[in-house]
Amino acid sequence: RELSFLNSGVLIELKDQRTAHEAQLLTDKGLVAYVQFKNQSRTVLHQKIFHAKETVYENGIPIEVEIAMQWQDGYSEVLSAYTNNIPQRDGGTHVTGLRMAMTRVLKNYISANEIGKKSGSKKADIDPEGDDMREGLTCVLSVKLTDAQFEGQTKAKLGNSEIRTLVSSIVSEKLEEFLEENPAVGKAILDKALTASRAREAARKARESVR
């Protein structure tokens, strides 16, 4: 099933010749379907899923980047990252590029739309951090390239430095467009981030009070 999500349009047939059980796995929605699958038992904050898929050529060699994101009402980040269909449980440069771009875009969106400001205030009463913005995020990120460089034999972390810049650029451009075209989704995402930020600050003050 994971491979069918990562390779849109590819039919995978499974046959158990002992029991005659068969299954066919096929999707044409790619990582959007994967995020929907991951969130099927969760309460999502917005129905429209952010999705971007780009192929960029470096010295004539193609690099494909695909990403899908949707926020739900949970308190943890659910992120799956892949390179050439191989999962990276420890992340890597593609995940770093994603998080850098997402934090930057959402911070700019907060500032541009004056979200979180108290009446008459010149600035927001709280400044969310990257962790706040990723609370409740379900995300799948997949890159495909010919010269993947991994750290360690388990391939649990991607090391290609150029991928960080590439993923960051694509996410920045496409996420900005997505938020502009879907203001209701943007508000739902940022309301979640602001709530997480306030909760984090309240927890910090409570710890200091106890100490």
Side-chain angles (χ1 to χ4, degrees), residues 2-37:
E2 183 180 79
L3 287 172
S4 72
F5 288 138
L6 292 168
N7 300 276
S8 183
V10 175
L11 172 64
I12 298 177
E13 291 185 316
L14 301 174
K15 297 182 180 181
D16 188 337
Q17 296 182 340
R18 300 167 302 175
T19 63
H21 177 72
E22 296 185 12
Q24 290 189 335
L25 300 168
L26 171 67
T27 179
D28 60 357
K29 297 198 300 182
L31 299 190
V32 171
Y34 199 174
V35 168
Q36 288 174 331
F37 176 78

Side-chain angles (χ1 to χ4, degrees), residues 203-211:
R204 182 188 65 80
K205 290 180 179 178
R207 285 195 303 272
E208 290 180 355
S209 175
V210 170
R211 287 169 181 166

Side-chain angles (χ1 to χ4, degrees), residues 19-176:
T19 63
H21 177 72
E22 296 185 12
Q24 290 189 335
L25 300 168
L26 171 67
T27 179
D28 60 357
K29 297 198 300 182
L31 299 190
V32 171
Y34 199 174
V35 168
Q36 288 174 331
F37 176 78
K38 284 178 172 288
N39 279 344
Q40 60 185 343
S41 61
R42 301 183 174 101
T43 301
V44 299
L45 301 184
H46 53 96
Q47 293 300 320
K48 190 174 181 63
I49 296 175
F50 168 74
H51 178 245
K53 187 175 183 179
E54 294 279 328
T55 299
V56 178
Y57 288 85
E58 296 278 350
N59 300 319
I61 301 174
I63 300 175
E64 181 184 291
V65 177
E66 185 178 7
I67 179 172
M69 298 193 295
Q70 185 182 38
W71 275 258
Q72 28 83 14
D73 65 352
Y75 298 108
S76 59
E77 176 188 22
V78 181
L79 186 145
S80 299
Y82 301 86
T83 302
N84 299 341
N85 294 332
I86 302 168
Q88 280 77 59
R89 66 174 182 271
D90 295 334
T93 52
H94 49 350
V95 174
T96 301
L98 161 68
R99 288 175 171 167
M100 286 171 52
M102 190 185 75
T103 301
R104 182 172 61 249
V105 169
L106 292 180
K107 276 185 174 290
N108 290 342
Y109 190 79
I110 289 175
S111 177
N113 293 275
E114 300 185 345
I115 297 173
K117 281 188 178 181
K118 291 182 178 178
S119 179
S121 175
K122 291 185 178 180
K123 65 177 183 178
D125 65 321
I126 199 75
D127 184 22
E129 296 179 354
D131 287 344
D132 302 322
M133 296 173 182
R134 294 193 298 272
E135 183 177 293
L137 170 64
T138 299
C139 174
V140 182
L141 170 63
S142 172
V143 298
K144 294 177 180 176
L145 62 157
T146 57
D147 185 27
Q149 300 167 8
F150 299 102
E151 297 180 15
Q153 292 186 345
T154 59
K155 300 182 179 180
K157 189 173 184 179
L158 183 66
N160 296 65
S161 59
E162 72 277 9
I163 296 299
R164 179 178 61 249
T165 304
L166 178 59
V167 171
S168 180
S169 175
I170 292 172
V171 172
S172 292
E173 178 185 351
K174 298 301 181 182
L175 187 56
E176 282 181 4

